[in-house]
């Protein structure tokens, strides 16, 4: 696995240490990797919404009901 050296602001470093101290994570590396995985997953959702919005803007209207749109959004978030 590639190694990186990064610097954290004091508040961020203290937050990372608190997560380790609470035994939620075993190391800063594990925590940072998990945060990156979460951000990547969130980006997939953002990209999906962006495409939906762009398609909606081009079409003018959708035939999907509010309930259908909400169901699709929740389904994507549940992954």
């Amino acid at each position: 696995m590639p190694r990186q050296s990064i610097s954290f602001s004091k508040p961020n470093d203290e937050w990372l240490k608190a997560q380790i101290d609470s035994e939620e994570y075993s190391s800063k590396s594990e925590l940072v990797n998990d945060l990156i995985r979460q951000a990547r997953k969130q980006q997939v959702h953002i990209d999906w919404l962006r495409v939906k919005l762009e398609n909606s803007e081009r079409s003018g209207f959708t035939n999907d009901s509010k309930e259908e749109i909400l169901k699709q959004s929740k389904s994507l978030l549940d992954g």
Side-chain angles (χ1 to χ4, degrees):
M1 187 177 302
R3 295 182 59 85
Q4 301 289 318
S5 175
I6 59 175
S7 300
F8 299 107
S9 66
K10 186 173 180 173
N12 287 343
D13 189 53
E14 290 173 0
W15 183 84
L16 289 167
K17 287 177 184 175
Q19 301 307 302
I20 306 304
D21 291 344
S22 72
E23 298 182 359
E24 185 73 24
Y25 295 91
S26 62
S27 68
K28 286 182 184 179
S29 293
E30 180 185 355
L31 173 53
V32 170
N33 274 306
D34 188 46
L35 291 171
I36 292 170
R37 277 190 294 276
Q38 289 176 39
R40 290 171 62 196
K41 186 176 179 180
Q42 184 180 36
Q43 188 62 52
V44 169
H45 298 135
I46 291 168
D47 292 344
W48 179 83
L49 284 170
R50 182 175 288 117
V51 168
K52 289 292 269 186
L53 288 170
E54 288 170 354
N55 289 342
S56 295
E57 287 175 352
R58 279 194 295 275
S59 69
F61 292 98
T62 180
N63 292 328
D64 294 346
S65 69
K66 291 185 292 186
E67 291 78 18
E68 290 170 324
I69 294 170
L70 183 59
K71 183 179 176 182
Q72 291 172 7
S73 297
K74 286 183 178 180
S75 173
L76 181 65
L77 291 174
D78 292 338

